[in-house]
Amino acid sequence: RRGAAGPAGASPEHLASAAEGVAAVARTHAVVLTHGNGPQVGLLALQAEAAGAEAPTPLDVLGAESEGLIGYLLAREVRSRLPGRPVTALLTQVEVDPDDPAFTSPDKPIGPVYDEGEARSLAHSRGWTVARDGDGWRRVVPSPAPRRLLEEDILRLLVEQGVLLICAGGGGIPVTLDAAGRVSGVEAVVDKDATAVLLARAVGAAGLLLLTDVPGVMEAWGTPDPRLVRRMTPAEARAFPAPEGSMAPKLRACADFVEGGGAFAVIGPLEQGPALLAGTAGTRIEAG
């Protein structure tokens, strides 16, 4: 959550809430878990700069650091709630296209929220691109589309062995491959919702749950009378007017998953996983 205290923006209270939400689903279902990292990537970059690093830490390295950090915290908390269940976190690389147009149009928010004056000052002094995000301003970086999870065979093997797997965090570590198969990290942060669809397909998931801190997709959001949308088709999800910085990527991901053969996708509160699966909470996207 925005403004959370604790290790790189992960407060103990929110970690406990996340772990309880995951465990509630995992007690009766096979679960593969992924997560975001936008605040943590930005905070780790600032920490490296404050420590006097001679050159900025590359975003792929920061992505790996944040994936390891959050993966460890989630694995620790989930394991504590599921005694005897095998739980592990795995660093995951995701291939992107080096010619993706996103590299010339950065739009993915990372790091803390600033007021406009501070954001523009930081953009000038650090060579950042900044943009409005809600009521504040944040640094934005390229967000190319994910093409393939390099470790997908390993992920499937672990899932087949009954492991509750935490992987592809923050959209995965962005890399490119040359003709000889050599891997190189790139300066980008991949959208976590788009990577979640790749991950779900890779492990043969029946359902995709995008867990967040709002009741679901809301009509008239920001007005005195917001209304929860309970059901949507993929076409309705794509057409729904939603902000690019928040709900739009989730709606696209749900539509992509269902159109690609997934049984259903749901957007809703982290704490209500079983209710989301039962269809009594959140917004459910499925074929008409």
Side-chain angles (χ1 to χ4, degrees), residues 47-75:
Q47 289 172 3
E49 184 175 318
E54 292 184 3
T57 306
L59 282 173
D60 62 305
V61 175
L62 293 173
E65 290 179 1
S66 63
E67 190 177 355
L69 182 155
I70 300 169
Y72 154 66
L73 293 172
L74 286 172

Side-chain angles (χ1 to χ4, degrees), residues 7-10 35-50 56-70 108-114 126 128 138-142 168-174 186-192:
H35 57 81
N37 72 343
Q40 287 77 18
V41 163
L43 288 168
L44 289 170
L46 293 174
Q47 289 172 3
E49 184 175 318
T57 306
L59 282 173
D60 62 305
V61 175
L62 293 173
E65 290 179 1
S66 63
E67 190 177 355
L69 182 155
I70 300 169
K108 179 72 172 176
I110 67 168
V113 178
Y114 304 100
R126 296 177 177 172
W128 290 357
R138 294 173 74 188
R139 179 188 178 189
V140 291
V141 300
I173 304 162
V186 296
E187 281 288 291
V189 173
V190 180
D191 180 72
K192 63 184 180 299

Side-chain angles (χ1 to χ4, degrees), residues 23-261:
V25 174
R27 291 186 181 102
T28 53
H29 295 77
V31 167
V32 178
L33 176 64
T34 188
H35 57 81
N37 72 343
Q40 287 77 18
V41 163
L43 288 168
L44 289 170
L46 293 174
Q47 289 172 3
E49 184 175 318
E54 292 184 3
T57 306
L59 282 173
D60 62 305
V61 175
L62 293 173
E65 290 179 1
S66 63
E67 190 177 355
L69 182 155
I70 300 169
Y72 154 66
L73 293 172
L74 286 172
R76 184 188 73 190
E77 296 299 319
V78 171
R79 181 186 291 271
S80 296
R81 288 159 176 80
L82 297 170
R85 183 80 170 268
V87 179
T88 194
L90 183 71
L91 291 179
T92 314
Q93 300 169 91
V94 60
E95 182 184 4
V96 302
D97 183 349
D99 297 320
D100 192 303
F103 286 109
T104 59
S105 302
D107 63 358
K108 179 72 172 176
I110 67 168
V113 178
Y114 304 100
D115 62 41
E116 182 176 1
E118 186 178 10
R120 294 195 182 280
S121 175
L122 288 167
H124 177 74
S125 63
R126 296 177 177 172
W128 290 357
T129 301
V130 297
R132 182 178 291 280
D133 182 28
D135 295 330
W137 288 69
R138 294 173 74 188
R139 179 188 178 189
V140 291
V141 300
S143 183
R147 302 174 70 181
R148 180 171 66 98
L149 299 168
L150 266 58
E151 291 83 8
E152 62 181 25
D153 290 343
I154 301 171
L155 304 182
R156 281 194 291 267
L157 179 62
L158 290 169
V159 171
E160 288 167 2
Q161 295 302 311
V163 176
L164 193 161
L165 183 59
I166 303 167
C167 59
I173 304 162
V175 299
T176 58
L177 275 71
D178 66 15
R182 288 185 291 263
V183 180
S184 300
V186 296
E187 281 288 291
V189 173
V190 180
D191 180 72
K192 63 184 180 299
D193 299 316
T195 297
V197 176
L198 278 187
L199 175 60
R201 289 174 178 163
V203 300
L208 173 66
L209 274 64
L210 297 184
L211 307 176
T212 181
D213 59 355
V214 296
V217 179
M218 308 294 292
E219 289 182 323
W221 179 254
T223 73
D225 186 30
R227 298 175 299 280
L228 175 66
V229 181
R230 299 302 302 270
R231 295 284 189 277
M232 305 178 85
T233 65
E236 289 168 340
R238 291 191 187 281
F240 190 86
E244 274 302 323
S246 58
M247 194 57 72
K250 291 177 172 53
L251 287 166
R252 280 196 298 271
C254 290
D256 286 345
F257 178 70
V258 173
E259 289 172 347

